[in-house]
Amino acid sequence: MPKIKTHSGAKKRFKVTKNGKIKRAHAFKSHILNKKTTKRKRGLRKAGYADKTNVKAIKLLIPYK
């Protein structure tokens, strides 16, 4: 079997944890920040996890992580 190419966009956006969960950053944190509350922006800093419905697809995009 030939090697599978890793998706360049996905490798920059996702990390796989020790237990196999997909770690990701929150969206809506790059611009137009003055209308968002400080509490909301602080929450967006923290990492989130990919939904279980997307995990299988993401793992195919990053096979060697």
Side-chain angles (χ1 to χ4, degrees), residues 2-63:
K3 289 197 272 184
I4 306 164
K5 284 198 175 183
T6 300
H7 190 281
S8 296
K11 74 181 174 190
K12 296 166 192 172
R13 288 173 170 83
F14 302 109
K15 298 271 183 279
V16 181
T17 63
K18 192 169 107 175
N19 294 329
K21 288 184 180 178
I22 305 291
K23 199 173 174 185
R24 61 161 181 87
H26 283 104
F28 308 110
K29 186 64 175 73
S30 56
H31 61 102
I32 317 173
L33 299 171
N34 49 348
K35 65 173 81 166
K36 293 168 190 155
T37 64
T38 309
K39 183 180 178 180
R40 183 175 165 193
K41 288 184 281 192
R42 193 165 56 241
L44 293 173
R45 274 186 225 147
K46 296 170 183 164
Y49 293 98
D51 191 70
K52 64 179 182 184
T53 57
N54 299 322
V55 168
K56 191 176 172 184
I58 294 167
K59 284 190 174 180
L60 287 173
L61 296 172
I62 48 170

